[in-house]
């Protein structure tokens, strides 16, 4: 009996969030969290949000893997936008410099990147978050409730 409960709990995320609204919301949230300018936390964030809001986690992870290049493309622009927002002189940060820094001193590079990540997260919060929330609200208003399941 216990094995059936475990299997049911494992299968549950594959069946939740199959309505059209839920699928579109899952795609929006996946894209929003995929471009979050902190590497290594996206899957954890997706899991927490999917379970909390009963969105389709497998779909969200697939979308995230497909859209991961966007995180790399938007990482430095988010940092530069955050520096502009906080009126900080723009740094000449690049992936090569970050890699070289990690090769020299891991902890010194982390401490140096802390504020850069703060600027990037701030810009993400001010730009990507409102656009995504507006998209979700628009989706919830435009898609009729009768299209509950695919």
């Amino acid at each position: 009996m216990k094995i059936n409960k475990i299997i049911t709990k494992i299968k549950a995320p594959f069946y939740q969030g199959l309505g059209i609204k839920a699928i579109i919301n899952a795609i929006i949230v996946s894209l929003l969290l995929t471009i979050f300018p902190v590497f290594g936390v996206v899957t954890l964030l997706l899991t927490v949000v999917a379970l909390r809001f009963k969105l389709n986690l497998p779909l969200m992870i697939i979308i995230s893997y497909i859209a991961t290049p966007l995180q790399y493309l938007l990482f430095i622009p988010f940092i530069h936008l955050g520096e502009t927002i906080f009126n900080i002189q723009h740094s000449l940060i690049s992936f090569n410099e970050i890699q070289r820094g990690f090769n020299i001193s891991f902890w010194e590079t982390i401490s140096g990147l802390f504020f850069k990540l703060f600027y990037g997260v701030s810009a993400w919060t001010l730009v990507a978050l409102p656009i995504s929330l507006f998209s979700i609200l628009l989706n919830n208003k435009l898609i009729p409730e009768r299209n509950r399941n695919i």
Side-chain angles (χ1 to χ4, degrees):
M1 275 305 204
K2 283 190 174 195
I3 197 95
N4 288 339
K5 284 185 178 182
I6 294 171
I7 291 172
T8 303
K9 285 188 178 193
I10 291 172
K11 289 169 59 175
F14 289 94
Y15 293 106
Q16 73 185 21
L18 289 178
I20 292 174
K21 279 185 182 183
I23 288 174
I24 294 171
N25 286 342
I27 292 169
I28 293 168
V29 171
S30 296
L31 292 172
L32 168 70
L33 295 178
T34 298
I35 64 170
F36 187 69
V38 177
F39 297 106
V41 298
V42 173
T43 303
L44 178 65
L45 291 173
L46 287 173
T47 303
V48 169
V49 170
L51 295 176
R52 169 67 178 91
F53 294 104
K54 299 190 184 318
L55 297 171
N56 191 304
L57 179 60
L59 173 67
M60 292 175 71
I61 290 176
I62 289 169
I63 297 295
S64 175
Y65 285 164
I66 292 169
T68 295
L70 290 174
Q71 184 181 32
Y72 294 100
L73 287 172
L74 295 173
F75 179 71
I76 292 176
F78 274 138
I79 289 173
H80 287 308
L81 180 60
E83 289 171 339
T84 301
I85 291 168
F86 285 99
N87 199 22
I88 304 294
Q89 183 177 355
H90 288 292
S91 59
L92 300 174
I93 189 170
S94 71
F95 285 108
N96 291 334
E97 287 180 28
I98 294 170
Q99 185 177 15
R100 264 186 273 134
F102 278 126
N103 290 337
I104 295 170
S105 171
F106 178 80
W107 292 111
E108 191 174 311
T109 304
I110 290 293
S111 65
L113 285 176
F114 177 78
F115 283 107
K116 305 280 186 237
L117 293 176
F118 173 75
Y119 300 142
V121 170
S122 299
W124 173 86
T125 303
L126 292 173
V127 175
L129 192 58
I131 291 170
S132 297
L133 291 176
F134 177 74
S135 300
I136 289 170
L137 289 173
L138 194 62
N139 173 47
N140 290 339
K141 292 287 183 191
L142 292 179
I143 304 294
E145 193 63 36
R146 60 187 160 86
N147 291 339
R148 194 164 190 109
N149 287 322
I150 295 177

